Amino acid sequence: MPEWWRERVIYQIYPRSFKDSNGDGVGDLVGITQKLDYLKDLGIGAIWISPFFKSPQADCGYDVSDYRAVDPMFGSDQDFETLLARAHELDIKVIIDLVLNHTSCEHPWFQEARKSKDNPKHDWYIWSDGPKPPNNWLCGFTLKNAWCWNEQTKEYYLGQFTPEQPEVNWRNKELHDEMMNVLKFWLERGVDGFRLDVVNFYFKDAQMRSNPRKITRMPYMFMDHKYDRNQPEVLDVAAEMRQICNSFGERALIGEVYADDTDLAAQFQGNNDRLNIAYNFDFLYQEFSGELFRKSAQKHYQSISKYSSDNQPNFTLSNHDQVRACTRYHDSNPARDILKQKIMCVMLLTLRGTPTIYYGEEIGMKNVKVPKHLRMDPVAHASFPVNLFGRDPERTPMQWSGAEFCGFSQTQPWLPVGDVKINVEDQINNPDSLLSFYKLVLKLRNESRTLKEGNINIMEGTGELFGYRRTFEGEKIQVYLNFGNKPVVVSAKGKILVQQEIDVGEELITLKALAILVIQRE
Ligand code: NOJ
């Protein structure tokens, strides 16, 4: 049997926005537990929960002040135990989000470290003597210099996200061991895997050299991030984490490796001695184009197979840091809009690889306009030329029903709710809804070894028609997705598994604009 993280569909939950069980306007762990049956019924095999650990919430939980405790905002330790037990009863794996590149500035380690240079915790963080910052490394949120002043020791510390997120020194043995203990702590509690936040940032150049200038696709102020991340030592840490995880059975390590080069992300993957999956973000930056998605998928398959042939591909369309796919590919014509979303669904769930669905994607949730005074994301408060809206618009409450506050909460939620017309309750019993479509395709995938494990052959030179064949032990499933507006005719005989916008003739099948055909070949 293939490992679970190869087969199952992962669903990302942003806990603050999934379900509020206690009426305080903020989602919580009990809320997630209440909705596990919904996820099971949908066909989800694993959930990744964004951080719910104790945190002052300077970066919405990605600033942790106690790695072992649940933040009271999300519930109690017992609530997590209950969530985990119920998920396991339903055969849903649970992945938690570990943020080990930085802590909160309120973490007791940093509170100690910043007191004096001879404090035993001082070397647990990255420091540089004044009077000037040592190099040109940037804070990704403000695009200003990443070095923050600590008056007590008259030194700079590194904060590539916010000044409230000081970065730890992975070269310090005690810090390193303590982070591994955090991993063991959660494995002992029974979690099935980890999503490692910015894992490629753990190590920085020991000499702290300035990054060279470079014109890049993702500008990030035009530098080659050669020295502020991606140092080779991180692979040793990955190998050690792999070993620890293996000693607990089949546990997944999934890394967030933001890099403008897909090859680089792929280097973090290696089933035996590295991460099982390094997130492939390339789909997040593609236009709605069959040609571009084909090229992106081909490039990813090539990249990940370089290190080891059994490396697992993965795809995702949205997450809590990026504009939702349903907004990126929005069409002002409602009929075309839903056809497009269905194409995205089939592509995500039938390509070879592990798919991750972002909460609400299955009902077509879109980004929500958040007025300036309600914005919570620190990125939204950075100044020009940073993203002016921040990431709140893709983090709004899950739309469970047409009731007030979308059935997410009894009270005004922490962020405004989106269009109540898009909601689970209305879609769940409507066979034509996006949600029913997701359920259908998920069921097809979950029951098909060909779709889960089979090889893939991508058709070349077909323009806006993205076509591929999945094969496994003699079975062949052909997928055609017409991203374009021109009809395309194909010759395909067999059992039609999923379809939209097709005309079936005696010999040929016409795929109209935005058509889908998934067919089990004779
Ligand atoms: C990546 C996370 O996805 C993002 O939300 C967070 O702000 C940064 N890492 C810093 O932890």
Side-chain angles (χ1 to χ4, degrees):
M1 275 291 278
E3 297 94 331
W4 67 261
W5 43 266
R6 291 187 192 270
E7 296 209 329
R8 293 174 181 238
V9 175
I10 303 175
Y11 186 96
Q12 182 191 353
I13 293 178
Y14 196 68
R16 223 164 148 160
S17 284
F18 199 56
K19 176 72 183 136
D20 170 18
S21 74
N22 60 356
D24 63 358
V26 175
D28 46 53
L29 297 179
V30 173
I32 297 176
T33 308
Q34 288 170 354
K35 293 296 181 186
L36 287 173
D37 288 277
Y38 162 79
L39 296 175
K40 181 70 189 170
D41 188 49
L42 181 61
I44 299 304
I47 54 174
W48 146 28
I49 314 175
S50 286
F52 50 81
F53 315 102
K54 200 156 173 260
S55 160
Q57 305 289 326
D59 184 17
C60 296
Y62 282 91
D63 49 318
V64 178
S65 55
D66 183 346
Y67 288 108
R68 292 175 169 84
V70 170
D71 193 287
M73 173 199 264
F74 296 116
S76 63
D77 290 353
Q78 183 53 47
D79 293 339
F80 183 73
E81 294 289 325
T82 310
L83 185 161
L84 195 62
R86 179 66 186 142
H88 287 166
E89 248 168 49
L90 293 170
D91 190 27
I92 294 177
K93 304 283 185 190
V94 177
I95 300 165
I96 64 167
D97 200 332
L98 287 186
V99 191
L100 308 182
N101 171 68
H102 43 269
T103 67
S104 157
C105 61
E106 291 185 23
H107 196 296
W109 302 342
F110 189 68
Q111 291 295 316
E112 282 297 306
R114 75 185 318 174
K115 282 185 188 157
S116 70
K117 286 185 177 179
D118 50 19
N119 187 288
K121 293 278 185 302
H122 189 70
D123 189 49
W124 284 33
Y125 290 84
I126 297 174
W127 301 97
S128 172
D129 284 333
K132 279 203 318 231
N135 56 36
N136 67 357
W137 299 351
L138 287 180
C139 163
F141 288 179
T142 58
L143 302 183
K144 301 202 170 100
N145 192 279
W147 293 93
C148 316
W149 186 244
N150 181 50
E151 187 52 35
Q152 282 126 301
T153 56
K154 305 255 183 291
E155 281 171 302
Y156 287 97
Y157 63 89
L158 185 63
Q160 297 188 78
F161 299 97
T162 66
E164 288 81 21
Q165 293 161 291
E167 301 195 20
V168 299
N169 177 13
W170 270 91
R171 292 191 178 93
N172 177 293
K173 172 88 173 72
E174 285 173 26
L175 176 282
H176 164 282
D177 291 351
E178 186 49 29
M179 289 308 199
M180 295 300 172
N181 288 338
V182 168
L183 205 78
K184 288 179 202 154
F185 172 83
W186 287 103
L187 287 165
E188 274 155 16
R189 288 190 72 176
V191 303
D192 302 288
F194 303 101
R195 179 261 189 196
L196 301 172
D197 190 67
V198 289
V199 59
N200 59 322
F201 283 55
Y202 286 9
F203 288 86
K204 299 79 166 95
D205 178 43
Q207 296 172 49
M208 296 201 196
R209 281 168 282 190
S210 277
N211 286 325
R213 297 271 165 217
K214 184 182 164 195
I215 304 294
T216 52
R217 177 167 69 126
M218 280 191 278
Y220 202 137
M221 277 337 214
F222 310 120
M223 51 175 68
D224 174 4
H225 292 275
K226 186 171 174 186
Y227 295 124
D228 56 4
R229 64 188 77 158
N230 303 329
Q231 302 303 301
E233 292 100 315
V234 70
L235 296 179
D236 298 334
V237 165
E240 191 179 342
M241 287 179 164
R242 169 82 278 134
Q243 259 183 5
I244 295 175
C245 283
N246 286 352
S247 68
F248 284 81
E250 208 174 275
R251 300 291 190 270
L253 280 177
I254 304 181
E256 182 201 33
V257 182
Y258 261 111
D260 50 7
D261 172 3
T262 50
D263 266 4
L264 199 143
Q267 282 168 28
F268 282 77
Q269 257 185 247
N271 198 18
N272 298 322
D273 56 356
R274 297 185 185 180
L275 311 178
N276 302 111
I277 288 175
Y279 261 117
N280 162 25
F281 295 120
D282 205 53
F283 276 6
L284 297 163
Y285 306 110
Q286 299 305 331
E287 285 164 33
F288 187 82
S289 153
E291 173 101 46
L292 294 179
F293 280 116
R294 172 174 47 251
K295 285 192 176 141
S296 170
Q298 280 171 325
K299 172 95 190 345
H300 176 59
Y301 290 134
Q302 271 165 17
S303 302
I304 57 148
S305 58
K306 277 187 192 157
Y307 182 67
S308 155
S309 60
D310 80 337
N311 267 354
Q312 176 71 358
N314 77 93
F315 296 96
T316 186
L317 297 168
S318 308
N319 65 32
H320 64 293
D321 293 328
Q322 306 286 337
V323 175
R324 284 178 178 273
C326 297
T327 296
R328 293 201 309 274
Y329 307 127
H330 172 73
D331 199 297
S332 53
N333 172 331
R336 281 180 57 89
D337 196 41
I338 187 152
L339 293 175
K340 281 175 149 185
Q341 293 176 33
K342 289 181 178 174
I343 290 191
M344 301 312 291
C345 161
V346 173
M347 180 176 73
L348 181 69
L349 298 174
T350 63
L351 278 171
R352 188 170 86 79
T354 304
T356 303
I357 297 176
Y358 186 48
Y359 81 96
E361 200 152 66
E362 73 277 21
I363 55 167
M365 257 176 76
K366 299 203 192 272
N367 271 35
V368 177
K369 273 207 179 108
V370 178
K372 207 166 184 179
H373 67 284
L374 296 178
R375 292 181 193 158
M376 307 292 281
D377 178 18
V379 175
H381 300 291
S383 50
F384 186 78
V386 178
N387 171 355
L388 295 176
F389 306 106
R391 299 165 296 178
D392 297 312
E394 56 262 24
R395 299 175 175 180
T396 59
M398 177 70 177
Q399 294 160 205
W400 292 106
S401 76
E404 201 181 10
F405 312 127
C406 290
F408 162 76
S409 174
Q410 305 291 319
T411 184
Q412 181 66 50
W414 73 289
L415 282 179
V417 292
D419 178 0
V420 291
K421 292 199 285 305
I422 302 173
N423 70 67
V424 173
E425 196 177 78
D426 285 355
Q427 292 191 25
I428 210 152
N429 294 316
N430 172 0
D432 298 325
S433 67
L434 184 65
L435 181 57
S436 300
F437 188 79
Y438 258 92
K439 261 177 89 166
L440 172 99
V441 184
L442 277 158
K443 185 164 189 295
L444 185 72
R445 180 192 159 95
N446 289 339
E447 291 172 357
S448 163
R449 293 191 71 183
T450 306
L451 291 179
K452 287 188 294 193
E453 296 169 54
N455 285 334
I456 188 163
N457 282 304
I458 297 181
M459 290 162 63
E460 296 280 356
T462 49
E464 284 306 300
L465 179 72
F466 186 12
Y468 45 92
R469 176 178 288 191
R470 305 291 314 275
T471 50
F472 183 78
E473 291 181 351
E475 188 183 65
K476 301 186 188 87
I477 296 181
Q478 181 76 41
V479 180
Y480 296 104
L481 304 168
N482 187 9
F483 282 76
N485 293 326
K486 284 200 205 116
V488 187
V489 176
V490 296
S491 152
K493 280 219 167 80
K495 182 177 164 205
I496 295 181
L497 304 172
V498 186
Q499 57 156 306
Q500 83 177 5
E501 300 295 294
I502 61 167
D503 273 340
V504 184
E506 284 275 299
E507 293 292 323
L508 301 172
I509 298 181
T510 305
L511 298 152
K512 296 186 266 183
L514 304 178
I516 297 172
L517 175 62
V518 181
I519 188 165
Q520 188 175 343
R521 297 296 296 256
E522 279 167 0

Short mmCIF file of all heavy atoms in Angstrom, two decimals, residues 431-477:
data_model
loop_
_atom_site.label_atom_id
_atom_site.label_comp_id
_atom_site.label_asym_id
_atom_site.label_seq_id
_atom_site.Cartn_x
_atom_site.Cartn_y
_atom_site.Cartn_z
N PRO A 431 -27.82 18.86 -6.65
CA PRO A 431 -26.91 18.02 -7.44
C PRO A 431 -26.08 18.80 -8.45
O PRO A 431 -25.04 18.31 -8.90
CB PRO A 431 -27.87 17.05 -8.16
CG PRO A 431 -29.23 17.63 -8.03
CD PRO A 431 -29.24 18.55 -6.85
N ASP A 432 -26.52 20.03 -8.78
CA ASP A 432 -25.75 20.81 -9.76
C ASP A 432 -24.73 21.74 -9.12
O ASP A 432 -24.06 22.50 -9.81
CB ASP A 432 -26.71 21.67 -10.61
CG ASP A 432 -27.67 20.79 -11.39
OD1 ASP A 432 -27.24 19.70 -11.82
OD2 ASP A 432 -28.84 21.19 -11.54
N SER A 433 -24.64 21.71 -7.81
CA SER A 433 -23.75 22.68 -7.15
C SER A 433 -22.29 22.28 -7.29
O SER A 433 -21.95 21.12 -7.58
CB SER A 433 -24.11 22.78 -5.67
OG SER A 433 -23.79 21.56 -5.02
N LEU A 434 -21.42 23.25 -7.03
CA LEU A 434 -19.98 22.98 -7.04
C LEU A 434 -19.64 21.96 -5.96
O LEU A 434 -18.84 21.05 -6.18
CB LEU A 434 -19.21 24.29 -6.81
CG LEU A 434 -17.70 24.17 -6.88
CD1 LEU A 434 -17.23 23.78 -8.28
CD2 LEU A 434 -17.02 25.49 -6.47
N LEU A 435 -20.29 22.09 -4.80
CA LEU A 435 -20.01 21.16 -3.70
C LEU A 435 -20.34 19.72 -4.11
O LEU A 435 -19.55 18.80 -3.86
CB LEU A 435 -20.81 21.58 -2.46
CG LEU A 435 -20.63 20.73 -1.21
CD1 LEU A 435 -19.17 20.67 -0.78
CD2 LEU A 435 -21.47 21.29 -0.06
N SER A 436 -21.48 19.52 -4.76
CA SER A 436 -21.84 18.16 -5.19
C SER A 436 -20.83 17.66 -6.22
O SER A 436 -20.49 16.48 -6.27
CB SER A 436 -23.25 18.12 -5.80
OG SER A 436 -24.17 18.54 -4.83
N PHE A 437 -20.36 18.57 -7.04
CA PHE A 437 -19.37 18.20 -8.05
C PHE A 437 -18.06 17.77 -7.38
O PHE A 437 -17.47 16.74 -7.72
CB PHE A 437 -19.15 19.39 -9.00
CG PHE A 437 -18.31 19.05 -10.19
CD1 PHE A 437 -18.84 18.39 -11.29
CD2 PHE A 437 -16.96 19.40 -10.21
CE1 PHE A 437 -18.05 18.09 -12.39
CE2 PHE A 437 -16.17 19.09 -11.31
CZ PHE A 437 -16.71 18.44 -12.40
N TYR A 438 -17.62 18.55 -6.41
CA TYR A 438 -16.41 18.18 -5.67
C TYR A 438 -16.56 16.80 -5.04
O TYR A 438 -15.66 15.97 -5.09
CB TYR A 438 -16.11 19.21 -4.56
CG TYR A 438 -15.01 20.18 -4.94
CD1 TYR A 438 -15.31 21.39 -5.56
CD2 TYR A 438 -13.67 19.89 -4.70
CE1 TYR A 438 -14.30 22.28 -5.92
CE2 TYR A 438 -12.66 20.77 -5.05
CZ TYR A 438 -12.98 21.97 -5.65
OH TYR A 438 -11.98 22.84 -6.01
N LYS A 439 -17.76 16.56 -4.45
CA LYS A 439 -17.99 15.27 -3.80
C LYS A 439 -17.88 14.13 -4.80
O LYS A 439 -17.28 13.09 -4.53
CB LYS A 439 -19.40 15.25 -3.18
CG LYS A 439 -19.40 15.53 -1.72
CD LYS A 439 -20.79 15.57 -1.16
CE LYS A 439 -21.22 14.21 -0.69
NZ LYS A 439 -22.43 14.30 0.17
N LEU A 440 -18.46 14.36 -5.97
CA LEU A 440 -18.44 13.34 -7.01
C LEU A 440 -17.00 13.03 -7.45
O LEU A 440 -16.58 11.87 -7.53
CB LEU A 440 -19.25 13.86 -8.22
CG LEU A 440 -19.22 13.05 -9.49
CD1 LEU A 440 -20.51 12.21 -9.53
CD2 LEU A 440 -19.17 13.93 -10.74
N VAL A 441 -16.23 14.10 -7.69
CA VAL A 441 -14.86 13.88 -8.18
C VAL A 441 -13.98 13.29 -7.07
O VAL A 441 -13.13 12.43 -7.32
CB VAL A 441 -14.26 15.17 -8.79
CG1 VAL A 441 -12.88 14.91 -9.38
CG2 VAL A 441 -15.18 15.76 -9.85
N LEU A 442 -14.21 13.73 -5.85
CA LEU A 442 -13.45 13.16 -4.73
C LEU A 442 -13.75 11.67 -4.57
O LEU A 442 -12.85 10.86 -4.32
CB LEU A 442 -13.79 13.90 -3.43
CG LEU A 442 -13.00 15.20 -3.22
CD1 LEU A 442 -13.71 16.14 -2.27
CD2 LEU A 442 -11.60 14.89 -2.70
N LYS A 443 -15.01 11.31 -4.73
CA LYS A 443 -15.39 9.90 -4.59
C LYS A 443 -14.71 9.08 -5.69
O LYS A 443 -14.12 8.03 -5.44
CB LYS A 443 -16.92 9.79 -4.70
CG LYS A 443 -17.48 8.41 -4.46
CD LYS A 443 -19.00 8.53 -4.21
CE LYS A 443 -19.60 7.23 -3.75
NZ LYS A 443 -19.56 6.14 -4.70
N LEU A 444 -14.77 9.63 -6.90
CA LEU A 444 -14.14 8.95 -8.03
C LEU A 444 -12.65 8.72 -7.73
O LEU A 444 -12.12 7.62 -7.92
CB LEU A 444 -14.32 9.84 -9.26
CG LEU A 444 -13.84 9.29 -10.57
CD1 LEU A 444 -14.78 8.18 -11.03
CD2 LEU A 444 -13.83 10.41 -11.64
N ARG A 445 -11.99 9.76 -7.28
CA ARG A 445 -10.57 9.65 -6.98
C ARG A 445 -10.32 8.65 -5.83
O ARG A 445 -9.46 7.79 -5.94
CB ARG A 445 -10.03 11.04 -6.57
CG ARG A 445 -8.57 11.01 -6.24
CD ARG A 445 -8.09 12.28 -5.56
NE ARG A 445 -6.87 11.94 -4.86
CZ ARG A 445 -5.65 12.12 -5.36
NH1 ARG A 445 -5.49 12.70 -6.52
NH2 ARG A 445 -4.60 11.74 -4.68
N ASN A 446 -11.08 8.78 -4.77
CA ASN A 446 -10.84 7.92 -3.60
C ASN A 446 -11.05 6.44 -3.93
O ASN A 446 -10.45 5.58 -3.31
CB ASN A 446 -11.75 8.34 -2.44
CG ASN A 446 -11.32 9.67 -1.85
OD1 ASN A 446 -10.18 10.09 -2.01
ND2 ASN A 446 -12.23 10.37 -1.18
N GLU A 447 -11.90 6.17 -4.92
CA GLU A 447 -12.17 4.77 -5.24
C GLU A 447 -11.33 4.26 -6.41
O GLU A 447 -11.50 3.13 -6.85
CB GLU A 447 -13.67 4.61 -5.58
CG GLU A 447 -14.53 4.80 -4.33
CD GLU A 447 -16.01 4.84 -4.63
OE1 GLU A 447 -16.39 4.78 -5.83
OE2 GLU A 447 -16.79 4.95 -3.66
N SER A 448 -10.46 5.12 -6.95
CA SER A 448 -9.73 4.71 -8.14
C SER A 448 -8.23 4.63 -7.88
O SER A 448 -7.56 5.66 -7.65
CB SER A 448 -10.01 5.72 -9.26
OG SER A 448 -9.05 5.60 -10.27
N ARG A 449 -7.68 3.45 -7.94
CA ARG A 449 -6.24 3.33 -7.77
C ARG A 449 -5.52 4.00 -8.93
O ARG A 449 -4.41 4.49 -8.80
CB ARG A 449 -5.84 1.85 -7.66
CG ARG A 449 -6.37 1.24 -6.37
CD ARG A 449 -5.77 -0.11 -6.11
NE ARG A 449 -4.36 -0.02 -5.75
CZ ARG A 449 -3.60 -1.09 -5.53
NH1 ARG A 449 -4.12 -2.30 -5.64
NH2 ARG A 449 -2.34 -0.95 -5.22
N THR A 450 -6.19 4.01 -10.08
CA THR A 450 -5.57 4.64 -11.25
C THR A 450 -5.37 6.14 -11.00
O THR A 450 -4.31 6.69 -11.31
CB THR A 450 -6.46 4.41 -12.49
OG1 THR A 450 -6.68 3.02 -12.60
CG2 THR A 450 -5.83 4.95 -13.75
N LEU A 451 -6.39 6.78 -10.45
CA LEU A 451 -6.25 8.22 -10.21
C LEU A 451 -5.31 8.50 -9.03
O LEU A 451 -4.59 9.49 -9.02
CB LEU A 451 -7.61 8.87 -9.95
CG LEU A 451 -8.54 8.94 -11.17
CD1 LEU A 451 -9.88 9.57 -10.81
CD2 LEU A 451 -7.90 9.72 -12.33
N LYS A 452 -5.29 7.60 -8.06
CA LYS A 452 -4.43 7.85 -6.90
C LYS A 452 -2.97 7.48 -7.18
O LYS A 452 -2.06 8.19 -6.79
CB LYS A 452 -4.94 7.07 -5.69
CG LYS A 452 -6.22 7.68 -5.11
CD LYS A 452 -6.64 7.04 -3.82
CE LYS A 452 -7.06 5.61 -4.00
NZ LYS A 452 -7.74 5.06 -2.82
N GLU A 453 -2.79 6.35 -7.84
CA GLU A 453 -1.41 5.84 -7.95
C GLU A 453 -0.87 5.77 -9.37
O GLU A 453 0.31 5.55 -9.56
CB GLU A 453 -1.35 4.40 -7.40
CG GLU A 453 -1.66 4.25 -5.96
CD GLU A 453 -1.82 2.77 -5.62
OE1 GLU A 453 -0.92 1.98 -5.91
OE2 GLU A 453 -2.89 2.42 -5.07
N GLY A 454 -1.78 5.87 -10.33
CA GLY A 454 -1.38 5.57 -11.71
C GLY A 454 -0.35 6.53 -12.29
O GLY A 454 -0.14 7.64 -11.79
N ASN A 455 0.26 6.08 -13.38
CA ASN A 455 1.19 6.95 -14.11
C ASN A 455 0.41 8.02 -14.83
O ASN A 455 -0.79 7.91 -15.01
CB ASN A 455 1.94 6.14 -15.18
CG ASN A 455 2.99 5.28 -14.53
OD1 ASN A 455 3.48 5.60 -13.44
ND2 ASN A 455 3.31 4.17 -15.18
N ILE A 456 1.16 9.02 -15.29
CA ILE A 456 0.49 10.06 -16.08
C ILE A 456 1.26 10.29 -17.37
O ILE A 456 2.50 10.31 -17.38
CB ILE A 456 0.36 11.38 -15.27
CG1 ILE A 456 -0.50 12.39 -16.03
CG2 ILE A 456 1.71 11.99 -14.90
CD1 ILE A 456 -1.03 13.52 -15.17
N ASN A 457 0.51 10.44 -18.46
CA ASN A 457 1.10 10.84 -19.75
C ASN A 457 0.35 12.08 -20.20
O ASN A 457 -0.86 12.02 -20.40
CB ASN A 457 0.90 9.76 -20.81
CG ASN A 457 1.89 8.66 -20.59
OD1 ASN A 457 3.09 8.89 -20.56
ND2 ASN A 457 1.37 7.46 -20.40
N ILE A 458 1.10 13.14 -20.36
CA ILE A 458 0.45 14.41 -20.73
C ILE A 458 0.51 14.58 -22.24
O ILE A 458 1.56 14.37 -22.86
CB ILE A 458 1.14 15.58 -20.00
CG1 ILE A 458 0.97 15.40 -18.49
CG2 ILE A 458 0.58 16.92 -20.45
CD1 ILE A 458 1.57 16.49 -17.63
N MET A 459 -0.62 14.95 -22.85
CA MET A 459 -0.64 15.18 -24.29
C MET A 459 0.10 16.48 -24.60
O MET A 459 -0.07 17.47 -23.90
CB MET A 459 -2.09 15.32 -24.79
CG MET A 459 -2.89 14.04 -24.76
SD MET A 459 -4.67 14.35 -24.84
CE MET A 459 -4.83 15.13 -26.43
N GLU A 460 0.87 16.45 -25.67
CA GLU A 460 1.67 17.63 -26.05
C GLU A 460 0.96 18.38 -27.17
O GLU A 460 0.23 17.80 -27.95
CB GLU A 460 3.03 17.19 -26.59
CG GLU A 460 3.92 16.47 -25.60
CD GLU A 460 4.62 17.41 -24.65
OE1 GLU A 460 4.48 18.64 -24.80
OE2 GLU A 460 5.32 16.91 -23.74
N GLY A 461 1.27 19.66 -27.26
CA GLY A 461 0.87 20.46 -28.41
C GLY A 461 -0.63 20.59 -28.60
O GLY A 461 -1.12 20.67 -29.72
N THR A 462 -1.37 20.60 -27.51
CA THR A 462 -2.83 20.68 -27.65
C THR A 462 -3.37 22.04 -27.22
O THR A 462 -4.57 22.17 -26.95
CB THR A 462 -3.50 19.56 -26.83
OG1 THR A 462 -2.95 19.57 -25.52
CG2 THR A 462 -3.30 18.20 -27.47
N GLY A 463 -2.52 23.03 -27.15
CA GLY A 463 -2.97 24.40 -26.86
C GLY A 463 -3.75 24.49 -25.57
O GLY A 463 -3.31 24.02 -24.52
N GLU A 464 -4.95 25.04 -25.67
CA GLU A 464 -5.76 25.26 -24.46
C GLU A 464 -6.45 23.99 -23.97
O GLU A 464 -7.14 24.01 -22.95
CB GLU A 464 -6.77 26.38 -24.70
CG GLU A 464 -6.14 27.77 -24.69
CD GLU A 464 -5.34 28.02 -23.42
OE1 GLU A 464 -5.92 27.97 -22.32
OE2 GLU A 464 -4.12 28.26 -23.51
N LEU A 465 -6.32 22.92 -24.73
CA LEU A 465 -6.85 21.64 -24.24
C LEU A 465 -5.76 20.97 -23.40
O LEU A 465 -4.69 20.64 -23.91
CB LEU A 465 -7.22 20.73 -25.41
CG LEU A 465 -7.76 19.35 -24.99
CD1 LEU A 465 -9.15 19.46 -24.41
CD2 LEU A 465 -7.75 18.38 -26.18
N PHE A 466 -6.05 20.81 -22.12
CA PHE A 466 -5.09 20.13 -21.24
C PHE A 466 -5.58 18.69 -21.13
O PHE A 466 -6.64 18.42 -20.55
CB PHE A 466 -5.06 20.84 -19.88
CG PHE A 466 -4.01 20.34 -18.91
CD1 PHE A 466 -2.99 19.47 -19.30
CD2 PHE A 466 -4.03 20.76 -17.59
CE1 PHE A 466 -2.03 19.02 -18.40
CE2 PHE A 466 -3.08 20.32 -16.67
CZ PHE A 466 -2.08 19.44 -17.08
N GLY A 467 -4.83 17.78 -21.75
CA GLY A 467 -5.25 16.39 -21.76
C GLY A 467 -4.18 15.49 -21.18
O GLY A 467 -2.99 15.73 -21.39
N TYR A 468 -4.60 14.50 -20.43
CA TYR A 468 -3.63 13.54 -19.91
C TYR A 468 -4.30 12.21 -19.65
O TYR A 468 -5.51 12.12 -19.49
CB TYR A 468 -2.94 14.07 -18.63
CG TYR A 468 -3.83 14.71 -17.60
CD1 TYR A 468 -4.39 13.98 -16.57
CD2 TYR A 468 -4.12 16.08 -17.66
CE1 TYR A 468 -5.20 14.58 -15.61
CE2 TYR A 468 -4.94 16.68 -16.72
CZ TYR A 468 -5.48 15.93 -15.69
OH TYR A 468 -6.28 16.52 -14.76
N ARG A 469 -3.44 11.19 -19.64
CA ARG A 469 -3.95 9.84 -19.44
C ARG A 469 -3.33 9.26 -18.17
O ARG A 469 -2.12 9.35 -17.97
CB ARG A 469 -3.55 8.97 -20.63
CG ARG A 469 -3.95 7.52 -20.45
CD ARG A 469 -3.59 6.72 -21.67
NE ARG A 469 -4.48 7.05 -22.78
CZ ARG A 469 -4.53 6.35 -23.90
NH1 ARG A 469 -3.74 5.32 -24.08
NH2 ARG A 469 -5.35 6.69 -24.87
N ARG A 470 -4.17 8.70 -17.32
CA ARG A 470 -3.69 8.03 -16.12
C ARG A 470 -3.81 6.53 -16.34
O ARG A 470 -4.86 6.07 -16.83
CB ARG A 470 -4.54 8.45 -14.89
CG ARG A 470 -4.64 9.96 -14.64
CD ARG A 470 -3.32 10.56 -14.18
NE ARG A 470 -2.67 9.80 -13.16
CZ ARG A 470 -2.92 9.90 -11.85
NH1 ARG A 470 -3.79 10.78 -11.43
NH2 ARG A 470 -2.28 9.15 -10.97
N THR A 471 -2.78 5.79 -16.02
CA THR A 471 -2.83 4.34 -16.25
C THR A 471 -2.34 3.58 -15.02
O THR A 471 -1.42 4.01 -14.31
CB THR A 471 -1.91 3.94 -17.43
OG1 THR A 471 -0.63 4.54 -17.22
CG2 THR A 471 -2.46 4.37 -18.76
N PHE A 472 -2.99 2.46 -14.78
CA PHE A 472 -2.59 1.62 -13.65
C PHE A 472 -3.09 0.21 -13.90
O PHE A 472 -4.30 -0.01 -14.13
CB PHE A 472 -3.21 2.17 -12.35
CG PHE A 472 -2.82 1.41 -11.11
CD1 PHE A 472 -1.58 1.62 -10.52
CD2 PHE A 472 -3.68 0.49 -10.54
CE1 PHE A 472 -1.21 0.93 -9.38
CE2 PHE A 472 -3.32 -0.21 -9.39
CZ PHE A 472 -2.08 0.00 -8.82
N GLU A 473 -2.17 -0.75 -13.88
CA GLU A 473 -2.51 -2.16 -14.08
C GLU A 473 -3.53 -2.37 -15.19
O GLU A 473 -4.59 -2.96 -14.99
CB GLU A 473 -3.01 -2.76 -12.76
CG GLU A 473 -1.89 -2.86 -11.74
CD GLU A 473 -2.34 -3.48 -10.41
OE1 GLU A 473 -3.56 -3.66 -10.22
OE2 GLU A 473 -1.45 -3.75 -9.59
N GLY A 474 -3.26 -1.81 -16.34
CA GLY A 474 -4.11 -2.05 -17.50
C GLY A 474 -5.31 -1.12 -17.60
O GLY A 474 -5.93 -1.01 -18.66
N GLU A 475 -5.64 -0.42 -16.52
CA GLU A 475 -6.76 0.52 -16.63
C GLU A 475 -6.26 1.86 -17.15
O GLU A 475 -5.17 2.29 -16.80
CB GLU A 475 -7.44 0.72 -15.27
CG GLU A 475 -8.71 1.54 -15.41
CD GLU A 475 -9.40 1.83 -14.09
OE1 GLU A 475 -8.81 2.55 -13.25
OE2 GLU A 475 -10.53 1.37 -13.90
N LYS A 476 -7.09 2.50 -17.98
CA LYS A 476 -6.70 3.81 -18.53
C LYS A 476 -7.82 4.80 -18.29
O LYS A 476 -8.97 4.55 -18.64
CB LYS A 476 -6.52 3.73 -20.05
CG LYS A 476 -5.50 2.75 -20.54
CD LYS A 476 -5.34 2.91 -22.05
CE LYS A 476 -4.48 1.81 -22.64
NZ LYS A 476 -5.21 0.61 -23.01
N ILE A 477 -7.48 5.92 -17.70
CA ILE A 477 -8.46 7.00 -17.55
C ILE A 477 -7.90 8.23 -18.26
O ILE A 477 -6.78 8.67 -18.00
CB ILE A 477 -8.76 7.31 -16.07
CG1 ILE A 477 -9.42 6.09 -15.41
CG2 ILE A 477 -9.66 8.53 -15.95
CD1 ILE A 477 -9.79 6.26 -13.95
#
